[in-house]
């Protein structure tokens, strides 16, 4: 019997919603999830983990685009962001599902390429809390304003694309809810095989 292809779980939502923190917790709590690390041309934030992204030069990123090396990519606030195409034959992926932490535009691109991908759209409990989180991670005021405006534009799109909507009001509860969603999809997939 051939091994089934991994399910792609997309964690998307506006900046400051806590996607990175949620995904780190998901991966820590469920070892059968493999995180695809995104690339960016933006500078590393003070105190940000060096493995939060593959921090790439603009020329390296553009070369990878030309080679078809991204599942999705976008430009946002003057920088590139992209998700590399995962090697589904990799032993690192064997028996594991893929989780992508990406913005709404990228989520739309992945859903178009992989309609079976499961999109979990994460919302902040309020715009005020989103702003607080953005400032807390060191975003300057002008970037906070841009990200909040972008969130207001993206939210209706994300809601329309989403298979599930989760409000990140309390991290442990949010992660529990997402693990339940993942388990339910796995059970449906197993039952249909």
């Amino acid at each position: 019997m051939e091994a089934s292809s991994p399910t792609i779980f997309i964690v998307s939502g506006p900046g400051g919603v806590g996607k990175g923190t949620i995904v780190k917790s998901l991966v820590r709590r469920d070892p059968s999830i493999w995180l695809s690390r995104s690339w960016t041309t933006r500078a590393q934030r003070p105190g940000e983990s060096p493995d939060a992204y593959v921090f790439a030069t603009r020329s390296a990123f553009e070369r990878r685009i030309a080679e078809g090396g991204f599942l999705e990519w976008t430009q946002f606030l003057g920088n590139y962001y992209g998700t590399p195409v995962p090697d589904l034959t990799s032993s690192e992926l064997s028996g594991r599902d893929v989780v992508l932490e990406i913005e709404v535009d990228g989520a739309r691109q992945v859903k178009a390429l992989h309609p079976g991908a499961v999109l979990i759209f994460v919302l902040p409990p309020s715009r005020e809390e989103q702003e607080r989180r953005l400032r807390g991670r060191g975003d300057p005021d002008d970037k906070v304003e841009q990200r909040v405006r972008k969130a207001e534009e993206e939210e209706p799109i994300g809601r329309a694309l989403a298979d599930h909507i989760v409000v990140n009001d309390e991290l442990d509860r949010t992660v529990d809810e997402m693990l339940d969603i993942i388990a339910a999809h796995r059970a449906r997939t197993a039952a249909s095989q």
Side-chain angles (χ1 to χ4, degrees), residues 10-14 17 22 118-125 154-169 173-174 177-178 181 185:
I10 305 166
V11 176
S12 187
V17 78
I22 291 167
V118 178
L119 174 55
I120 304 170
F121 190 65
V122 184
L123 293 171
E154 289 178 338
E155 189 173 312
I157 298 164
R159 284 179 176 274
L161 288 170
D163 297 293
H164 303 275
I165 297 172
V166 175
V167 175
N168 183 18
D169 51 359
R173 188 209 56 77
T174 300
E177 184 176 348
M178 291 174 81
I181 289 168
H185 278 275

Coordinates of all heavy atoms in Angstrom, one line a residue, residues 10-14 17 22 118-125 154-169 173-174 177-178 181 185:
I10 N -2.6 25.2 6.3 CA -2.2 26.6 6.2 C -2.7 27.4 7.4 O -3.8 27.4 7.7 CB -2.8 27.3 4.9 CG1 -2.4 26.5 3.6 CG2 -2.3 28.7 4.8 CD1 -3.2 26.9 2.4
V11 N -1.7 28.0 8.1 CA -2.1 28.9 9.2 C -1.9 30.3 8.6 O -0.7 30.7 8.3 CB -1.2 28.7 10.4 CG1 -1.6 29.7 11.5 CG2 -1.4 27.3 10.9
S12 N -3.0 31.1 8.5 CA -2.9 32.4 7.9 C -3.7 33.4 8.7 O -4.5 33.0 9.5 CB -3.5 32.4 6.4 OG -3.3 33.6 5.8
G13 N -3.4 34.6 8.5 CA -4.0 35.7 9.2 C -3.2 37.0 9.1 O -2.1 36.9 8.6
P14 N -3.7 38.1 9.6 CA -3.0 39.3 9.5 C -1.8 39.3 10.4 O -1.6 38.5 11.3 CB -4.0 40.4 9.9 CG -5.0 39.6 10.7 CD -5.0 38.2 10.2
V17 N -1.2 38.7 14.6 CA -2.2 37.8 15.1 C -1.6 36.7 16.0 O -2.3 36.0 16.7 CB -3.1 37.2 14.0 CG1 -2.4 36.1 13.2 CG2 -4.5 36.8 14.5
I22 N 1.9 30.5 17.4 CA 0.9 29.4 17.3 C 1.6 28.2 16.6 O 1.6 27.1 17.1 CB -0.3 29.8 16.5 CG1 -1.2 30.8 17.4 CG2 -1.2 28.6 16.2 CD1 -2.3 31.5 16.6
V118 N -5.8 22.7 3.9 CA -6.8 23.1 4.9 C -6.3 24.4 5.4 O -5.2 24.6 6.0 CB -6.8 22.1 6.1 CG1 -7.8 22.5 7.1 CG2 -7.2 20.7 5.5
L119 N -7.1 25.5 5.2 CA -6.8 26.8 5.6 C -7.4 27.2 7.0 O -8.7 27.2 7.1 CB -7.2 27.8 4.6 CG -7.0 29.3 4.9 CD1 -5.6 29.7 5.3 CD2 -7.5 30.2 3.8
I120 N -6.6 27.4 8.0 CA -7.1 27.9 9.3 C -6.7 29.3 9.4 O -5.5 29.7 9.4 CB -6.4 27.1 10.4 CG1 -6.6 25.6 10.2 CG2 -6.9 27.6 11.8 CD1 -5.8 24.7 11.2
F121 N -7.7 30.2 9.3 CA -7.6 31.6 9.3 C -7.6 32.1 10.8 O -8.6 31.9 11.5 CB -8.6 32.3 8.5 CG -8.4 33.8 8.2 CD1 -7.2 34.2 7.5 CD2 -9.2 34.7 8.7 CE1 -7.0 35.5 7.3 CE2 -9.0 36.1 8.5 CZ -7.9 36.5 7.8
V122 N -6.6 32.8 11.2 CA -6.5 33.2 12.6 C -6.8 34.7 12.7 O -6.2 35.5 11.9 CB -5.1 32.9 13.2 CG1 -5.0 33.3 14.7 CG2 -4.7 31.4 13.0
L123 N -7.6 35.1 13.7 CA -7.9 36.5 13.9 C -7.5 36.9 15.3 O -7.5 36.1 16.2 CB -9.4 36.7 13.8 CG -10.1 36.5 12.4 CD1 -11.6 36.5 12.5 CD2 -9.6 37.6 11.4
P124 N -7.2 38.2 15.4 CA -6.9 38.7 16.8 C -8.2 38.9 17.5 O -9.2 39.1 16.8 CB -6.2 40.1 16.5 CG -6.8 40.5 15.2 CD -7.0 39.3 14.4
P125 N -8.2 39.0 18.8 CA -9.4 39.2 19.5 C -10.0 40.6 19.3 O -11.2 40.9 19.3 CB -9.1 39.1 21.0 CG -7.6 39.0 21.1 CD -7.1 38.7 19.7
E154 N -7.6 42.4 4.3 CA -7.4 40.9 4.1 C -8.5 40.1 4.8 O -8.8 39.0 4.4 CB -6.1 40.5 4.6 CG -4.9 40.9 3.8 CD -3.6 40.5 4.4 OE1 -3.5 40.3 5.6 OE2 -2.6 40.4 3.7
E155 N -9.0 40.6 5.9 CA -9.9 39.8 6.7 C -11.1 39.2 6.0 O -11.4 38.0 6.1 CB -10.4 40.6 8.0 CG -11.1 39.7 8.9 CD -11.5 40.4 10.2 OE1 -10.6 41.1 10.8 OE2 -12.7 40.4 10.6
P156 N -11.8 40.0 5.1 CA -12.9 39.4 4.4 C -12.5 38.3 3.4 O -13.2 37.3 3.2 CB -13.6 40.6 3.7 CG -13.0 41.8 4.2 CD -11.7 41.5 4.9
I157 N -11.3 38.5 2.8 CA -10.8 37.6 1.9 C -10.4 36.3 2.6 O -10.7 35.2 2.2 CB -9.5 38.1 1.2 CG1 -9.9 39.4 0.3 CG2 -8.9 37.1 0.3 CD1 -8.7 40.2 -0.1
G158 N -9.7 36.4 3.8 CA -9.3 35.3 4.6 C -10.5 34.5 5.1 O -10.5 33.3 5.0
R159 N -11.5 35.2 5.5 CA -12.8 34.5 6.0 C -13.4 33.7 4.8 O -13.9 32.6 5.1 CB -13.8 35.6 6.5 CG -13.4 36.1 7.9 CD -14.4 37.1 8.3 NE -14.2 37.6 9.7 CZ -14.6 37.0 10.8 NH1 -15.3 35.9 10.7 NH2 -14.4 37.6 11.9
A160 N -13.4 34.3 3.6 CA -14.0 33.6 2.5 C -13.3 32.4 2.1 O -13.9 31.4 1.7 CB -14.2 34.6 1.3
L161 N -11.9 32.4 2.2 CA -11.1 31.3 1.8 C -11.0 30.2 2.9 O -10.7 29.0 2.5 CB -9.6 31.8 1.6 CG -9.3 32.6 0.3 CD1 -7.9 33.1 0.4 CD2 -9.5 31.7 -0.9
A162 N -11.2 30.6 4.1 CA -10.9 29.7 5.2 C -11.8 28.5 5.3 O -13.0 28.5 5.0 CB -11.1 30.5 6.5
D163 N -11.2 27.3 5.7 CA -11.9 26.1 6.1 C -12.3 26.2 7.5 O -13.3 25.6 7.9 CB -11.0 24.9 5.8 CG -10.7 24.7 4.4 OD1 -11.6 24.5 3.6 OD2 -9.5 24.9 4.0
H164 N -11.5 26.9 8.3 CA -11.8 27.1 9.8 C -11.3 28.5 10.1 O -10.3 29.0 9.6 CB -11.0 26.1 10.6 CG -11.3 24.7 10.2 ND1 -12.4 24.0 10.7 CD2 -10.7 23.8 9.4 CE1 -12.4 22.8 10.2 NE2 -11.4 22.7 9.4
I165 N -12.0 29.1 11.1 CA -11.6 30.5 11.6 C -11.4 30.3 13.1 O -12.3 29.7 13.8 CB -12.7 31.5 11.3 CG1 -12.8 31.7 9.8 CG2 -12.3 32.9 12.0 CD1 -14.0 32.6 9.4
V166 N -10.3 30.8 13.6 CA -9.9 30.7 15.0 C -9.5 32.1 15.5 O -8.7 32.8 14.8 CB -8.8 29.7 15.2 CG1 -8.3 29.6 16.6 CG2 -9.2 28.3 14.7
V167 N -10.0 32.5 16.7 CA -9.6 33.7 17.3 C -8.5 33.4 18.3 O -8.7 32.6 19.2 CB -10.8 34.4 18.0 CG1 -10.4 35.7 18.7 CG2 -11.9 34.8 16.9
N168 N -7.4 34.0 18.1 CA -6.3 33.8 19.0 C -6.4 34.8 20.2 O -5.7 35.8 20.3 CB -4.9 34.0 18.3 CG -3.7 33.7 19.2 OD1 -3.9 33.1 20.3 ND2 -2.6 34.2 18.9
D169 N -7.2 34.4 21.2 CA -7.4 35.2 22.3 C -6.6 34.7 23.5 O -6.2 35.4 24.4 CB -8.9 35.4 22.7 CG -9.6 34.0 22.8 OD1 -8.9 33.0 22.6 OD2 -10.8 34.0 23.1
R173 N -5.5 27.7 24.5 CA -6.8 27.4 23.9 C -6.8 27.4 22.4 O -7.4 26.5 21.8 CB -7.9 28.4 24.5 CG -9.3 27.9 24.1 CD -10.3 29.1 24.0 NE -9.8 30.1 23.0 CZ -10.0 29.9 21.7 NH1 -10.4 28.8 21.2 NH2 -9.6 30.9 20.9
T174 N -6.1 28.4 21.8 CA -6.1 28.5 20.4 C -5.4 27.2 19.8 O -5.8 26.6 18.8 CB -5.3 29.8 20.0 OG1 -6.1 30.9 20.5 CG2 -5.2 29.9 18.5
E177 N -7.5 24.1 20.0 CA -8.5 24.2 19.0 C -8.0 23.8 17.6 O -8.6 23.0 16.9 CB -9.2 25.6 18.9 CG -10.3 25.6 17.9 CD -11.0 27.0 17.9 OE1 -10.8 27.8 18.8 OE2 -11.8 27.3 17.0
M178 N -6.8 24.3 17.3 CA -6.2 23.9 16.0 C -5.7 22.5 16.0 O -5.9 21.8 14.9 CB -5.0 24.9 15.7 CG -5.6 26.3 15.5 SD -4.3 27.6 15.3 CE -3.8 27.3 13.6
I181 N -8.7 20.5 15.1 CA -9.1 20.7 13.7 C -8.2 19.7 12.9 O -8.7 19.0 12.0 CB -8.9 22.1 13.2 CG1 -10.0 23.0 13.8 CG2 -8.8 22.2 11.7 CD1 -9.7 24.5 13.7
H185 N -9.4 16.4 10.6 CA -9.0 16.2 9.1 C -8.3 14.9 8.9 O -8.5 14.2 7.9 CB -8.3 17.4 8.6 CG -9.1 18.6 8.3 ND1 -9.8 18.7 7.0 CD2 -9.5 19.7 9.0 CE1 -10.5 19.8 7.0 NE2 -10.4 20.4 8.2

